Amino acid sequence: MRSLIAALISLMVVSLAQAREEISLDQGWRFIQSDTPNAADILFNDSSWESVDLPHTWNATDATGGVNSYYRGIGWYRRHIQLASQQMNLKQIYLWFGAAGSAAEVYVNGQNAGAHKGAFGAFCFDIRSLVTIGDNVISVKVNNAADPSIAPLSGDFNIEGGLYRNAKLIVTESVAVSPLDHASSGVYVRQTRVSDDKAELEISTLLRNIEPAPVSPVVKIELVDASGKTVATTQAEHLMNGGSTRVVQNLSIDKPRLWNGKIDPYLYRIDVEVSESGNVTDRLSVPVGLRYFKVDPAKGFILNGKPYDLHGVNRHQDFGKKGWAITQADMQVDMDLIKEMGCTMLRLPHYQHSPLFYDLCDRNGLVVWAELCQVNRLGTDEAFAEVSKQQLNELIKQNFNHPSICFWSLYNELNFAGGEQDLKLLNEENAIAHELDSTRLTTAASNRKIESPGHWIPDLIGLNVYYGWYADQQPPDWKSGLDRIVSFKPDRAVGISEYGAGGSVVQHEIPSRRPSTTGRWHPEEYQTQVHEEGWKEMSGRRMWCRLVWVFADFPVANRREGDTVGMNDKGLVTNDRKTKKDAFYFYKANWSDEPVLYITSRRFTVRPEPKTPVRIYSNCDTVSLNVNGQPAGEKSSPDHVFVWENVSLKRGENVLTATASRDGREITDMSKITYDPTSAMQP
């Protein structure tokens, strides 16, 4: 059976002409959702197991189906790989996984290759001593059960199990760049000094030699522009014995083209070539975007010497019925919607996201807040601090070269129940972040009172405020609350890291009463009201960021609210990304450079009253409205919200047509409303 399975799985053979080969292991896995005895044994019969490909999660449906509990336990994966003789000849062989939720034990040919804790970081093991020429078996035990040593210990989101990102085999020559530094690339490009006139870079390369004899590899570094032209180069010879060593080199260029956010997300790349005795033994490339930035408490974010307004959304990594097992195509859908809105910034909470999505942010000019998965509370288990620091190392080292990332976040909404012990750990983690990366700023997101001492450990702080939504935060609190926030410490930068409200695309009410946040009635119109009021009060204030919670509805198994059980419905788009809510267009009208004209409440198709307000979002100077072919007037608005009160409806179908112009281009939008006095929508 093993030889039959091996014969059915095709695997690219490494060419001797290539110094490094990365071979996808995404296809051809067997999976069972249980803790199966002896599943790591090389001769174990897995023929009855399910056939799956990566990315894969066993919570794709039960964590999004509105059930109170979803499976949190053990699952096993098995796969065969073939290795040729040339791959075993003085080669380094590594097994790399993009993530496993939440803990993994990896076996190769029945022998333990290593274990990893943490649901969000990549991990990599040296398996050369465990593999043989011909057929080899990889077995992975994955467990997403709650573990007191692994953050997050809790959170308003599901912790899905499985190998939900990609996997690969890395084969290199005996002297090569090492992937064993927390599964990073092994190449770290530090932007020591960047200005409009000059960029100075320090490139640190981690080399590994698996032979005991000393060698003198040459490391050649090239900075290559977007056209493929080499614009700077340096090389150095380094004497090393067996084991690992770091080679640090410097290069600079005059008049660099800067990575300038959405305005010009220009990318260079660093090409690293390792050679020994005249033979190339390794090659790899990492992206580089040259930029300099700071945050001024009074002026906000300054990118490349100029103020750059940071506004955008928070984004979770799930997508529809796929859960966390999303593809690059799914990520592109998200990026396209985020760009359409006109975001300049993304907070990627509450954990390390896929490197593929950070790549998209690099290429599209989105400034990124990247976050450690410490949510709600810190643990008291003796291993908690160690595992959290490991996850912080993974977050920073694996994503060190992404120019989009400007902020490392230490936590979200900690309750500081551990008192001084919590503050001690946060201070240690803040120091680690600065030691690993002195070029970026640290931050955190909090729902505590502004006086909380935990706010002032990182360089910056973001506050999660929900005025108008949660019971203790009322709509009038927007002005008084923000006044207090921005005046509390005028010498420290404060931003808004979360704000928002729930909204159902099938529940409607005009005028909209304040709903119960935990109830089943979440009219879309109330969601837009909260966003209109919040954005109006935040605009023009001294804040370094303003970030909506949340980009898309996302599953939370224990929620019972709105129209869908098991879903947080604060998204600007639905979880399947098929429907853009009215609030999406509110922000598009405020943020986008493209012409916007949108009639709201268009899903409130049948109304019981003969008169109704008509609300339109637009970034045009004036908007005209026609009702059933008759002009209802022209409006102007300083805040992109155009309102016609008491528009008369005829019994039956009514056609609303809006027209406007921008930059010489006329645009229109149309919506239909049926007036039926016998209809009613009740909570």
Side-chain angles (χ1 to χ4, degrees):
M1 178 59 68
R2 185 175 64 165
S3 61
L4 175 61
I5 295 171
L8 293 173
I9 299 174
S10 62
L11 186 66
M12 185 186 304
V13 176
V14 177
S15 168
L16 288 174
Q18 293 179 300
R20 168 181 289 239
E21 190 74 21
E22 296 190 354
I23 305 164
S24 172
L25 299 180
D26 290 346
Q27 309 298 314
W29 290 86
R30 292 285 193 172
F31 167 72
I32 190 168
Q33 185 177 299
S34 70
D35 188 6
T36 302
N38 305 315
D41 291 354
I42 191 170
L43 296 179
F44 181 86
N45 185 350
D46 57 25
S47 61
S48 64
W49 292 13
E50 179 185 359
S51 295
V52 300
D53 295 329
L54 306 187
H56 175 265
T57 174
W58 57 71
N59 298 124
T61 55
D62 70 346
T64 60
V67 295
N68 188 45
S69 61
Y70 58 102
Y71 181 74
R72 296 195 67 177
I74 293 171
W76 277 91
Y77 295 84
R78 283 170 58 91
R79 188 196 196 282
H80 291 250
I81 61 171
Q82 301 294 309
L83 292 176
S85 59
Q86 61 264 42
Q87 293 170 301
M88 298 293 297
N89 183 25
L90 297 180
K91 299 283 187 177
Q92 300 188 46
I93 304 176
Y94 302 98
L95 182 57
W96 182 97
F97 292 95
S102 302
E105 298 173 17
V106 179
Y107 301 86
V108 176
N109 293 328
Q111 302 175 77
N112 186 278
H116 179 263
K117 285 189 173 185
F120 309 106
F123 53 98
C124 183
F125 302 123
D126 178 358
I127 63 170
R128 183 175 184 272
S129 64
L130 305 179
V131 294
T132 62
I133 297 172
D135 188 39
N136 296 267
V137 181
I138 300 171
S139 307
V140 187
K141 178 182 179 181
V142 184
N143 188 353
N144 70 329
D147 184 325
S149 69
I150 303 176
L153 299 177
S154 65
D156 192 23
F157 56 98
N158 300 326
I159 302 297
E160 299 185 16
L163 297 176
Y164 69 89
R165 290 186 188 151
N166 306 107
K168 61 186 176 182
L169 200 68
I170 303 172
V171 182
T172 73
E173 300 292 336
S174 59
V175 180
V177 180
S178 173
L180 294 180
D181 188 11
H182 292 280
S184 72
S185 68
V187 176
Y188 307 96
V189 183
R190 189 181 303 274
Q191 303 187 30
T192 55
R193 184 173 300 176
V194 178
S195 69
D196 295 346
D197 296 323
K198 190 172 186 177
E200 298 178 2
L201 308 178
E202 177 192 273
I203 300 94
S204 175
T205 305
L206 180 63
L207 293 184
R208 186 172 186 234
N209 173 25
I210 63 171
E211 294 301 307
V215 293
S216 299
V218 174
V219 180
K220 181 180 179 182
I221 305 290
E222 292 185 337
L223 181 64
V224 182
D225 68 16
S227 71
K229 178 184 177 182
T230 298
V231 295
T233 185
T234 184
Q235 68 178 41
E237 184 175 2
H238 191 87
L239 176 64
M240 64 180 297
N241 296 312
S244 299
T245 188
R246 292 188 182 275
V247 179
V248 179
Q249 296 161 271
N250 298 283
L251 56 74
S252 64
I253 59 168
D254 295 327
K255 299 296 182 182
R257 183 169 171 178
L258 299 179
W259 187 91
N260 202 27
K262 288 175 57 182
I263 300 167
D264 184 17
Y266 189 82
L267 293 175
Y268 295 85
R269 74 172 191 266
I270 288 285
D271 288 347
V272 179
E273 180 182 274
V274 182
S275 59
E276 201 270 319
S277 299
N279 298 313
V280 174
T281 62
D282 200 7
R283 290 191 183 98
L284 75 160
S285 299
V286 297
V288 177
L290 304 175
R291 77 286 185 269
Y292 60 102
F293 63 89
K294 66 177 182 179
V295 173
D296 183 278
K299 298 178 181 179
F301 185 68
I302 310 295
L303 178 62
N304 300 328
K306 298 179 181 179
Y308 190 78
D309 190 61
L310 294 182
H311 54 261
V313 294
N314 291 261
R315 171 197 174 265
H316 267 300
Q317 67 181 2
D318 57 86
F319 191 116
K321 295 300 183 182
K322 298 179 179 181
W324 286 359
I326 59 176
T327 66
Q328 191 163 8
D330 298 326
M331 298 180 206
Q332 186 63 59
V333 169
D334 281 3
M335 180 55 66
D336 290 343
L337 288 166
I338 289 164
K339 286 177 61 182
E340 180 186 343
M341 251 190 300
C343 298
T344 60
M345 181 183 183
L346 285 178
R347 177 180 173 220
L348 297 180
H350 296 300
Y351 41 77
Q352 181 174 334
H353 287 233
S354 168
L356 299 176
F357 200 79
Y358 295 123
D359 287 341
L360 286 175
C361 295
D362 294 342
R363 295 198 295 268
N364 290 281
L366 275 295
V367 173
V368 169
W369 163 323
E371 191 154 287
L372 179 63
C373 56
Q374 296 187 141
V375 181
N376 291 355
R377 58 191 175 92
L378 300 178
T380 57
D381 185 272
E382 60 181 13
F384 180 88
E386 177 185 354
V387 175
S388 285
K389 291 174 183 178
Q390 164 218 308
Q391 290 178 299
L392 180 60
N393 269 269
E394 291 168 355
L395 174 69
I396 294 176
K397 290 185 175 182
Q398 291 173 17
N399 300 291
F400 194 90
N401 299 316
H402 289 290
S404 58
I405 298 176
C406 295
F407 313 101
W408 302 119
S409 175
L410 301 180
Y411 66 81
N412 176 75
E413 295 190 354
L414 288 183
N415 59 17
F416 298 104
E420 290 299 320
Q421 191 65 27
D422 286 358
L423 298 178
K424 177 177 180 292
L425 177 57
L426 291 177
N427 273 297
E428 291 172 353
E429 290 172 337
N430 192 56
I432 289 170
H434 284 303
E435 180 181 0
L436 292 175
D437 181 7
S438 61
T439 70
R440 291 179 173 95
L441 300 170
T442 56
T443 187
S446 178
N447 61 351
R448 302 287 101 184
K449 292 182 178 180
I450 188 67
E451 297 89 348
S452 171
H455 292 171
W456 316 112
I457 292 174
D459 301 320
L460 312 167
I461 190 66
L463 297 181
N464 299 346
V465 297
Y466 286 91
Y467 304 134
W469 187 243
Y470 290 118
D472 59 341
Q473 297 184 329
Q474 303 297 322
D477 291 341
W478 271 113
K479 185 178 188 308
S480 60
L482 294 181
D483 283 345
R484 187 167 183 272
I485 286 170
V486 300
S487 63
F488 181 73
K489 276 187 178 288
D491 60 328
R492 293 295 299 269
V494 178
I496 300 299
S497 41
E498 292 183 22
Y499 68 100
S504 164
V505 296
V506 299
Q507 297 175 348
H508 301 280
E509 185 178 49
I510 301 176
S512 185
R513 297 160 289 173
R514 177 171 178 155
S516 166
T517 59
T518 58
R520 300 305 305 275
W521 183 250
H522 284 183
E524 186 175 11
E525 287 74 19
Y526 187 79
Q527 182 188 44
T528 58
Q529 178 185 334
V530 169
H531 282 288
E532 287 179 22
E533 292 173 350
W535 183 252
K536 180 180 179 179
E537 285 298 332
M538 281 186 286
S539 297
R541 288 182 181 267
R542 182 182 66 85
M543 293 176 177
W544 71 269
C545 69
R546 292 163 290 170
L547 300 169
V548 173
W549 187 268
V550 59
F551 164 62
D553 295 346
F554 63 96
V556 185
N558 61 359
R559 278 187 176 255
R560 297 289 183 273
E561 60 194 59
D563 68 85
T564 304
V565 173
M567 191 70 66
N568 185 321
D569 64 354
K570 295 186 185 70
L572 302 181
V573 301
T574 53
N575 182 246
D576 60 9
R577 277 56 167 185
K578 293 181 179 179
T579 304
K580 305 168 188 174
K581 301 182 188 181
D582 287 355
F584 176 97
Y585 289 96
F586 171 72
Y587 288 108
K588 185 176 179 180
N590 277 274
W591 297 344
S592 176
D593 295 327
E594 295 297 318
V596 178
L597 182 66
Y598 177 80
I599 302 171
T600 68
S601 295
R602 63 205 306 123
R603 285 171 286 277
F604 192 2
T605 55
V606 180
R607 304 188 189 183
E609 302 295 335
K611 291 183 180 291
T612 187
V614 175
R615 200 173 200 86
I616 293 175
Y617 297 144
S618 179
N619 54 9
C620 300
D621 293 332
T622 60
V623 175
S624 296
L625 177 67
N626 273 262
V627 181
N628 298 320
Q630 300 300 312
E634 182 179 83
K635 300 279 186 179
S636 59
S637 172
D639 58 7
H640 307 293
V641 181
F642 301 76
V643 181
W644 286 257
E645 301 286 359
N646 297 317
V647 172
S648 296
L649 303 176
K650 67 179 183 179
R651 190 182 291 258
E653 185 178 84
N654 297 263
V655 179
L656 309 181
T657 305
T659 59
S661 63
R662 181 181 169 93
D663 301 327
R665 172 186 165 191
E666 185 172 287
I667 53 176
T668 64
D669 191 32
M670 187 268 289
S671 179
K672 294 181 180 180
I673 299 173
T674 297
Y675 164 45
D676 180 358
T678 67
S679 70
M681 289 195 87
Q682 298 296 331

